[in-house]
């Protein structure tokens, strides 16, 4: 009978399969979310006749790689599908290459590598996993680990294979710089290359001489990797310099020690403390998500229990912990130099936190290895990585639910507006009643409100904003912003007649998790009609006339001019 049994997968392939399946389950809600968020509306076309002008990415923001991805996505006619595919590719291939690199170098055993990769790639402090334009962030992060894996293979390769692997690794690393802060992790990869060369040197030379020789050999043997970030930054600063509001936004300066301390405190709060606080609150409000996460993680731990090995070395504990601290400080430093801060309150302001799952995973790795001193490796894996993954995946799903509910509210508003004739106004303030609804909601941004108006009524020179989210001088601010060099808002017009749109919860309104569950049932089980769900979700009314509480734009034209 045993001869007739199907052969089991080799241990490494089994670990890879477990990793991929868990990631697909954890990020499955991304496949059902076809909504655009925040700046997505400025660079992606929800339908072919929707007007956008993404030249600002080249001539203002200095993002040529972003521009290429967005241009290609719009060219296909299915930008949402392209961006979701990019995000999934970054998540899956990035996680697998992270695991392969760590196990090939002997840094982690298979169980640790799977747990480590899952922590990094389900990190919920980054709440924009469902963002479409920011899928380039996720893809770039994944490319960094793919490049590290290619470099690992090239290190021991010879001949033509070595040349091809190095050329491919250089190209992958270059594309990963689309997320500029990945250069910090790239520096860590280069340090790992230096360490590998140092370890292969002759110990008889002494520490100082051996270190100098290793650095010199690293430069001579891998010159393309040493100059790569210099070439990238030189290219940006010569041909794609940031101008206008983007040059002001990235106000690089040398922060004082006080600024650094406050900045690192803000990053720690948004990256870890607030994530845990919000997870506790979410687990109380929606326990089903965390119960499902516990079942998923329990299955993973059962499958990995044979792969867990004991790591008794003291350095195996202290090195990951020290590296976690160094990486946390280093990853936040580029943003602090630019004067930027994250926020856990507004999902869009979490975009600076994508890579902060790496310091977290390193810290958990050190704790897991310390716990092995008191218990077995399997129990330590379950206690540290298992408990953390339950929190991480449960909170990740909670954020996906929030983003799905946000998409549905946008679609309900756009659908209602599309059924109406456009009123005699081009400037609209959105009075968003969902802000008072007893479920998490963040006011819509300028790009979102304006995008929904243009989606509903065509390429008219409309401008919209959420009434409670903007200052009274929003019209003057937008008028100045659209005239600035390299502006992303040149097709926004805040000068025309005004109206107020009231968006209030309808009879079908529900807390986010219930609303998302209804939508998933409609999409997956076809037990209801999505159009009917949207029609019951919100009630919309429009009132013409000056917008209360908003300062008029001096000298603004009162005529309605046709859009492009």
């Amino acid at each position: 009978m045993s001869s007739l049994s199907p052969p089991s997968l080799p241990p490494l392939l089994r670990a890879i399969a477990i990793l991929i399946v868990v990631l697909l389950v954890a990020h499955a809600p991304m496949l059902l979310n076809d909504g655009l968020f925040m700046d997505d509306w400025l660079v992606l076309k929800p339908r072919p006749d929707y007007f956008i002008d993404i030249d600002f990415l080249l001539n203002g923001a200095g993002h040529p790689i972003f521009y290429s991805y967005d241009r290609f996505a719009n060219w296909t006619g299915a930008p949402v599908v392209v961006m979701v595919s990019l995000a999934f590719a970054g998540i899956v291939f990035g996680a697998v290459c992270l695991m392969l690199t760590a196990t090939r170098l002997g840094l982690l055993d298979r169980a640790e590598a799977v747990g480590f990769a899952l922590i990094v790639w389900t990190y919920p402090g980054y709440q924009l996993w469902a963002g479409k334009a920011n899928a380039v962030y996720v893809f770039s992060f994944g490319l960094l680990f793919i490049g590290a894996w290619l470099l690992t293979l090239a290190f021991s390769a010879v001949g033509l294979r070595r040349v091809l692997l190095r050329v491919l690794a250089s190209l992958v690393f270059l594309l990963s710089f689309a997320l500029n802060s990945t250069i910090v992790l790239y520096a860590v990869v280069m340090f790992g290359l230096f360490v590998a060369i140092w370890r292969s040197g002759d110990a008889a030379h002494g520490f100082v001489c051996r270190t100098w020789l290793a650095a010199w050999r690293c430069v001579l043997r891998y010159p393309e990797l040493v100059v790569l970030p210099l070439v990238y930054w030189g290219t940006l600063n010569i041909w794609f310099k940031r101008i206008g509001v983007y040059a002001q936004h990235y106000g690089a300066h040398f922060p004082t020690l006080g600024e650094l301390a406050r900045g690192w405190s803000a990053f720690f709060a948004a990256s870890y403390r607030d994530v845990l606080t919000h997870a506790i609150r979410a687990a109380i409000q929606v326990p089903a998500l965390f119960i499902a996460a516990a079942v998923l993680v329990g299955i993973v731990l059962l499958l990995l229990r044979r792969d867990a090995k004991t790591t008794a070395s003291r350095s195996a504990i202290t090195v990951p912990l020290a590296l976690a601290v160094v990486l946390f400080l280093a990853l936040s430093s580029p943003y602090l130099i630019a004067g930027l801060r994250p926020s856990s309150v507004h999902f869009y302001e979490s975009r600076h936190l994508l890579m902060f799952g790496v310091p977290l995973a390193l810290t958990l790795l050190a704790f897991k290895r310390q716990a092995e001193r008191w218990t077995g490796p399997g129990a330590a894996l379950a206690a540290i990585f298992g408990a953390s993954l339950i929190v991480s995946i449960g909170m990740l799903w909670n954020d996906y639910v929030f983003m799905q509910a946000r998409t549905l509210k946008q679609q309900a508003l756009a659908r209602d507006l599309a059924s109406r004739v456009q009123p005699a106004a081009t400037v609209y303030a959105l009075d968003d009643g969902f802000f008072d609804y007893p479920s998490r909601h963040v006011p819509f941004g300028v790009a979102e409100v304006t995008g929904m108006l243009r989606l509903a009524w065509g390429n008219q020179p409309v401008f919209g904003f959420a009434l409670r989210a903007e200052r009274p001088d929003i019209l003057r601010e937008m008028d100045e912003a659209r005239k600035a060099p390299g502006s992303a808002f040149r097709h926004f017009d805040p000068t025309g007649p005004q109206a107020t749109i009231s968006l209030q919860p309808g009879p079908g309104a529900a807390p986010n998790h219930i609303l998302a569950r209804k939508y998933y049932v409609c999409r997956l089980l076809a037990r209801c009609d999505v159009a009917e769900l949207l029609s019951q979700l919100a009630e919309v009314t429009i009132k013409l006339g000056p917008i209360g509480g908003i300062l008029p734009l001096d000298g603004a034209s009162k005529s309605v001019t046709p859009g492009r």
Side-chain angles (χ1 to χ4, degrees):
M1 289 296 292
S2 60
S3 62
L4 299 178
S5 302
S8 60
L9 286 174
L12 182 60
L13 289 180
R14 184 170 61 87
I16 292 174
I18 293 170
L19 175 62
I20 292 175
V21 169
V22 175
L23 288 173
L24 291 177
V25 173
H27 290 283
M30 185 191 299
L31 294 173
L32 295 176
N33 192 317
D34 56 359
L36 302 181
F37 307 99
M38 305 301 291
D39 290 353
D40 295 358
W41 290 93
L42 298 177
V43 296
L44 300 175
K45 297 166 72 74
R47 67 184 184 205
D49 62 341
Y50 181 87
F51 176 80
I52 58 172
D53 181 5
I54 66 172
D55 287 347
F56 75 92
L57 289 174
L58 284 178
N59 304 317
H63 285 305
I65 300 178
F66 260 75
Y67 174 86
S68 301
Y69 285 123
D70 292 334
R71 178 66 73 181
F72 171 77
N74 289 320
W75 174 78
T76 66
V80 170
V81 174
V82 171
M83 289 305 184
V84 169
S85 300
L86 278 181
F88 260 99
I91 291 168
V92 172
F93 290 109
V96 170
C97 287
L98 170 59
M99 174 189 166
L100 290 175
T101 303
T103 53
R104 184 182 180 89
L105 296 177
L107 302 175
L108 306 174
D109 63 43
R110 284 189 296 272
E112 287 178 336
V114 172
F116 192 98
L118 286 175
I119 289 293
V120 171
W121 287 101
T122 61
Y123 171 64
Y126 176 72
Q127 301 172 35
L128 260 177
W129 290 103
K132 304 307 181 291
N134 287 77
V136 180
Y137 281 5
V138 178
F139 187 62
S140 299
F141 187 35
L143 286 179
L144 181 89
F145 293 111
I146 296 173
W149 170 238
L150 293 172
L151 182 58
T152 302
L153 295 177
F155 188 81
S156 57
V158 294
L160 180 60
R161 183 171 184 266
R162 177 182 175 87
V163 173
L164 293 176
L165 285 170
R166 284 176 58 169
V167 170
L168 186 56
S170 299
L171 178 60
V172 169
F173 280 133
L174 180 64
L175 292 176
S176 77
F177 294 162
L179 176 57
N180 293 335
S181 49
T182 55
I183 292 179
V184 174
L185 286 181
Y186 177 77
V188 175
V189 173
M190 290 300 296
F191 179 74
L193 178 63
F194 162 77
V195 171
I197 294 175
W198 184 88
R199 294 181 65 182
S200 65
D202 188 352
H205 288 137
F207 179 80
V208 175
C209 182
R210 186 180 179 186
T211 300
W212 187 90
L213 286 174
W216 183 244
R217 289 168 182 167
C218 190
V219 172
L220 289 182
R221 294 180 186 178
Y222 297 89
E224 74 281 8
L225 298 181
V226 174
V227 303
L228 194 63
L230 301 177
V231 170
Y232 176 74
W233 278 108
T235 301
L236 290 188
N237 285 286
I238 294 173
W239 289 294
F240 303 103
K241 290 190 69 172
R242 294 190 176 104
I243 62 175
V245 294
Y246 297 99
Q248 300 169 16
H249 181 64
Y250 297 95
H253 68 292
F254 289 104
T256 65
L257 291 178
E259 287 179 312
L260 285 175
R262 290 189 295 272
W264 284 326
S265 177
F267 267 94
F268 181 82
S271 302
Y272 309 122
R273 187 198 66 190
D274 291 350
V275 171
L276 182 59
T277 301
H278 295 162
I280 294 173
R281 187 180 303 119
I284 295 173
Q285 295 174 347
V286 194
L289 293 177
F290 292 84
I291 293 173
V295 172
L296 176 64
V297 172
I299 294 172
V300 172
L301 292 174
L302 286 175
L303 294 174
L304 291 176
R305 67 186 187 280
R306 291 180 297 174
D307 297 316
K309 308 297 182 184
T310 300
T311 307
S313 170
R314 183 176 297 275
S315 64
I317 299 172
T318 57
V319 170
L321 193 59
L323 185 57
V325 175
V326 171
L327 265 183
F328 171 79
L329 300 178
L331 287 173
S332 53
S333 293
Y335 300 107
L336 301 182
I337 292 172
L340 302 176
R341 298 286 190 276
S343 171
S344 60
V345 177
H346 197 301
F347 68 93
Y348 189 70
E349 296 304 325
S350 75
R351 67 192 186 279
H352 307 314
L353 303 178
L354 173 61
M355 296 183 290
F356 281 78
V358 179
L360 175 62
L362 286 167
T363 302
L364 295 175
L365 176 64
F367 289 168
K368 178 260 180 187
R369 290 177 173 178
Q370 178 61 41
E372 288 178 4
R373 292 172 174 263
W374 308 319
T375 183
L381 183 74
I384 305 300
F385 275 122
S388 300
L389 279 172
I390 292 172
V391 173
S392 187
I393 295 176
M395 195 60 191
L396 179 69
W397 284 339
N398 186 71
D399 289 336
Y400 271 126
V401 163
F402 161 72
M403 296 295 273
Q404 186 61 68
R406 187 178 184 83
T407 293
L408 295 175
K409 294 164 190 174
Q410 291 187 57
Q411 291 175 344
L413 175 59
R415 180 183 178 86
D416 186 278
L417 296 178
S419 67
R420 304 166 182 257
V421 177
Q422 180 182 350
T426 57
V427 178
Y428 296 86
L430 180 66
D431 182 12
D432 189 352
F434 282 99
F435 191 72
D436 299 318
Y437 197 76
S439 192
R440 182 187 175 195
H441 182 67
V442 176
F444 296 118
V446 165
E448 289 176 303
V449 179
T450 304
M452 287 184 280
L453 294 171
R454 294 171 70 86
L455 185 65
W457 292 326
N459 294 320
Q460 300 298 314
V462 294
F463 169 62
F465 60 93
L467 193 56
R468 297 195 226 182
E470 308 296 341
R471 292 187 289 266
D473 59 347
I474 175 63
L475 300 182
R476 188 176 297 109
E477 288 182 353
M478 182 52 59
D479 193 47
E480 294 173 355
R482 69 179 180 131
K483 297 174 182 177
S487 174
F489 308 111
R490 287 182 292 185
H491 54 299
F492 287 24
D493 186 0
T495 65
Q498 301 177 0
T500 301
I501 300 174
S502 175
L503 176 69
Q504 300 298 323
N512 290 340
H513 64 282
I514 296 177
L515 186 59
R517 186 179 66 205
K518 289 181 178 179
Y519 174 73
Y520 294 150
V521 168
C522 287
R523 283 286 301 272
L524 298 176
L525 303 180
R527 292 183 178 177
C528 60
D529 182 51
V530 174
E532 179 64 23
L533 176 67
L534 295 177
S535 67
Q536 297 293 315
L537 177 55
E539 296 179 346
V540 181
T541 57
I542 302 177
K543 179 183 178 183
L544 291 172
I547 301 169
I550 298 297
L551 298 176
L553 184 61
D554 296 337
S557 171
K558 299 301 180 182
S559 62
V560 179
T561 56
R564 285 182 285 181

